[in-house]
Coordinates of all heavy atoms in Angstrom, one line a residue:
Chain X
L115 N -4.1 5.0 -9.7 CA -2.7 4.5 -9.5 C -2.2 4.9 -8.1 O -3.0 4.9 -7.1 CB -1.8 5.1 -10.5 CG -1.9 4.3 -11.9 CD1 -1.1 5.1 -12.9 CD2 -1.3 2.9 -11.7
F116 N -1.0 5.4 -8.0 CA -0.4 5.7 -6.7 C -0.1 7.2 -6.6 O 1.0 7.6 -7.2 CB 0.9 4.8 -6.6 CG 0.7 3.4 -6.9 CD1 1.2 2.9 -8.1 CD2 -0.1 2.6 -6.1 CE1 1.0 1.5 -8.4 CE2 -0.4 1.3 -6.5 CZ 0.2 0.7 -7.6
P117 N -0.9 7.9 -6.0 CA -0.9 9.4 -6.1 C 0.4 10.0 -5.7 O 0.8 11.0 -6.3 CB -2.0 9.9 -5.2 CG -2.5 8.7 -4.4 CD -2.1 7.5 -5.2
E118 N 1.2 9.5 -4.8 CA 2.4 10.1 -4.3 C 3.6 9.6 -5.0 O 4.8 9.9 -4.6 CB 2.5 9.9 -2.8 CG 1.5 10.6 -2.0 CD 1.5 12.1 -2.1 OE1 2.6 12.7 -2.2 OE2 0.4 12.7 -2.1
M119 N 3.5 8.7 -6.0 CA 4.7 8.2 -6.7 C 4.8 8.9 -8.0 O 3.9 9.4 -8.6 CB 4.5 6.7 -6.9 CG 4.6 5.9 -5.6 SD 4.2 4.2 -5.7 CE 5.8 3.5 -6.3
T120 N 6.1 9.0 -8.5 CA 6.3 9.6 -9.8 C 6.1 8.6 -10.9 O 6.1 7.4 -10.7 CB 7.8 10.1 -9.9 OG1 8.7 9.0 -9.8 CG2 8.1 11.0 -8.7
V121 N 6.0 9.1 -12.1 CA 5.8 8.3 -13.3 C 6.9 7.3 -13.4 O 6.7 6.1 -13.6 CB 5.8 9.2 -14.6 CG1 5.7 8.3 -15.8 CG2 4.6 10.1 -14.5
E122 N 8.1 7.7 -13.1 CA 9.3 6.9 -13.2 C 9.2 5.7 -12.2 O 9.4 4.6 -12.5 CB 10.6 7.7 -12.9 CG 11.8 7.0 -13.1 CD 12.6 6.7 -11.8 OE1 12.4 7.5 -10.8 OE2 13.3 5.7 -11.7
E123 N 8.7 6.0 -11.0 CA 8.6 5.0 -9.9 C 7.6 4.0 -10.3 O 7.7 2.7 -10.1 CB 8.3 5.6 -8.6 CG 9.5 6.4 -8.0 CD 9.1 7.1 -6.7 OE1 7.9 7.6 -6.6 OE2 9.9 7.3 -5.8
V124 N 6.4 4.4 -10.8 CA 5.3 3.5 -11.2 C 5.8 2.6 -12.3 O 5.6 1.4 -12.2 CB 4.1 4.3 -11.6 CG1 3.0 3.3 -12.2 CG2 3.5 5.1 -10.5
L125 N 6.5 3.1 -13.3 CA 6.9 2.3 -14.4 C 8.1 1.4 -14.0 O 8.3 0.4 -14.7 CB 7.2 3.2 -15.6 CG 6.0 4.0 -16.1 CD1 6.4 4.7 -17.4 CD2 4.8 3.1 -16.4
D126 N 8.7 1.8 -12.9 CA 9.8 0.9 -12.4 C 9.2 -0.4 -11.8 O 9.8 -1.5 -11.9 CB 10.7 1.7 -11.4 CG 11.6 0.8 -10.6 OD1 12.4 0.1 -11.3 OD2 11.6 0.8 -9.4
I127 N 8.1 -0.2 -11.0 CA 7.6 -1.4 -10.4 C 6.6 -2.2 -11.3 O 6.3 -3.4 -11.0 CB 6.9 -1.1 -9.0 CG1 5.7 -0.1 -9.2 CG2 7.8 -0.6 -8.0 CD1 4.9 0.1 -8.0
L152 N 4.9 10.8 -21.8 CA 5.3 10.4 -20.4 C 6.7 10.8 -20.1 O 7.0 11.1 -18.9 CB 5.1 8.9 -20.3 CG 3.7 8.3 -20.3 CD1 3.6 6.9 -20.1 CD2 2.8 9.1 -19.4
R155 N 6.9 14.0 -18.4 CA 6.4 14.1 -17.1 C 7.1 13.1 -16.2 O 6.5 12.7 -15.1 CB 4.8 13.8 -17.0 CG 4.0 14.6 -18.0 CD 4.2 16.1 -17.8 NE 4.1 16.6 -16.4 CZ 3.0 17.1 -15.9 NH1 1.9 17.1 -16.6 NH2 3.0 17.5 -14.6
W156 N 8.2 12.6 -16.6 CA 8.9 11.5 -15.9 C 9.0 11.6 -14.4 O 8.8 10.6 -13.7 CB 10.3 11.3 -16.6 CG 10.9 10.0 -16.5 CD1 12.1 9.6 -15.9 CD2 10.4 8.8 -17.0 NE1 12.3 8.3 -16.1 CE2 11.3 7.7 -16.8 CE3 9.2 8.4 -17.7 CZ2 11.1 6.4 -17.1 CZ3 9.0 7.1 -18.1 CH2 9.9 6.1 -17.8
H157 N 9.3 12.8 -13.9 CA 9.5 12.9 -12.5 C 8.3 13.6 -11.8 O 8.5 14.1 -10.6 CB 10.8 13.7 -12.2 CG 12.0 12.9 -12.7 ND1 12.4 11.7 -12.0 CD2 12.8 13.0 -13.7 CE1 13.5 11.2 -12.7 NE2 13.7 12.0 -13.7
S158 N 7.2 13.7 -12.5 CA 6.0 14.3 -11.8 C 5.3 13.2 -11.0 O 5.3 12.0 -11.4 CB 5.0 14.8 -12.8 OG 5.6 15.7 -13.7
K159 N 4.7 13.6 -9.9 CA 3.9 12.7 -9.1 C 2.6 12.5 -9.9 O 2.1 13.4 -10.5 CB 3.6 13.3 -7.7 CG 4.8 13.2 -6.8 CD 4.4 13.6 -5.4 CE 5.6 13.4 -4.5 NZ 5.3 13.8 -3.1
I160 N 2.0 11.3 -9.7 CA 0.8 10.9 -10.4 C -0.3 11.9 -10.0 O -1.2 12.2 -10.9 CB 0.3 9.5 -10.0 CG1 1.4 8.5 -10.3 CG2 -1.0 9.1 -10.6 CD1 1.7 8.3 -11.8
R161 N -0.3 12.4 -8.8 CA -1.5 13.2 -8.4 C -1.4 14.6 -9.1 O -2.4 15.3 -9.1 CB -1.5 13.3 -6.9 CG -1.1 14.5 -6.2 CD -1.0 14.3 -4.7 NE 0.2 14.7 -4.1 CZ 0.5 15.9 -3.8 NH1 -0.5 16.8 -3.8 NH2 1.7 16.3 -3.3
F162 N -0.3 14.9 -9.7 CA -0.2 16.2 -10.5 C -0.5 16.0 -12.0 O -0.5 17.0 -12.7 CB 1.1 16.9 -10.3 CG 1.4 17.3 -8.9 CD1 2.5 16.9 -8.2 CD2 0.5 18.1 -8.2 CE1 2.8 17.2 -6.9 CE2 0.7 18.5 -6.9 CZ 1.9 18.1 -6.3
L163 N -0.8 14.8 -12.4 CA -1.0 14.5 -13.8 C -2.5 14.8 -14.2 O -3.4 14.7 -13.3 CB -0.7 13.1 -14.2 CG 0.7 12.6 -13.9 CD1 0.9 11.2 -14.5 CD2 1.7 13.5 -14.6
V171 N -0.3 6.5 -18.1 CA 0.6 5.8 -17.2 C 0.0 4.4 -16.9 O 0.7 3.4 -16.9 CB 0.8 6.6 -15.9 CG1 1.8 5.8 -15.0 CG2 1.4 8.0 -16.2
Chain P
R181 N 12.2 4.9 -1.1 CA 12.2 5.7 -2.3 C 12.9 5.1 -3.5 O 12.5 5.2 -4.6 CB 12.9 7.1 -2.0 CG 12.3 7.9 -1.0 CD 12.1 9.3 -1.3 NE 10.9 9.8 -0.7 CZ 9.7 10.0 -1.3 NH1 9.6 9.7 -2.5 NH2 8.7 10.3 -0.6
R187 N 9.5 0.7 -3.1 CA 8.5 1.3 -3.9 C 7.2 0.5 -3.9 O 6.1 1.0 -3.9 CB 8.9 1.5 -5.3 CG 10.0 2.7 -5.4 CD 10.7 2.7 -6.7 NE 11.5 3.9 -6.8 CZ 12.3 4.2 -7.9 NH1 12.3 3.4 -8.9 NH2 13.0 5.3 -7.9
R190 N 5.3 1.2 -0.8 CA 4.6 2.4 -0.9 C 3.4 2.3 -1.8 O 2.3 2.8 -1.5 CB 5.5 3.5 -1.4 CG 6.5 4.0 -0.4 CD 7.6 4.8 -1.0 NE 7.1 6.0 -1.7 CZ 7.6 6.5 -2.8 NH1 8.6 5.9 -3.3 NH2 7.1 7.5 -3.4
Q194 N -0.5 3.2 -0.9 CA -1.3 4.2 -1.6 C -2.5 3.7 -2.3 O -3.5 4.5 -2.5 CB -0.3 5.0 -2.6 CG 0.7 5.8 -1.9 CD 1.7 6.4 -2.8 OE1 1.4 6.7 -3.9 NE2 2.9 6.6 -2.3
M202 N -1.0 -5.2 -10.1 CA 0.4 -5.2 -10.6 C 1.0 -6.5 -10.3 O 2.2 -6.7 -10.5 CB 1.2 -4.1 -10.1 CG 0.9 -2.8 -10.8 SD 2.2 -1.6 -10.4 CE 1.8 -0.4 -11.7

Side-chain angles (χ1 to χ4, degrees):
Chain X
L115 282 170
F116 313 110
E118 297 295 324
M119 290 172 82
T120 65
V121 173
E122 186 248 330
E123 287 174 330
V124 172
L125 298 186
D126 169 54
I127 59 171
L152 292 185
R155 309 304 311 266
W156 205 236
H157 295 290
S158 307
K159 284 188 178 177
I160 301 296
R161 105 189 131 85
F162 296 125
L163 299 186
V171 180
Chain P
R181 301 224 147 259
R187 288 169 173 178
R190 285 166 59 216
Q194 291 176 29
M202 279 196 169

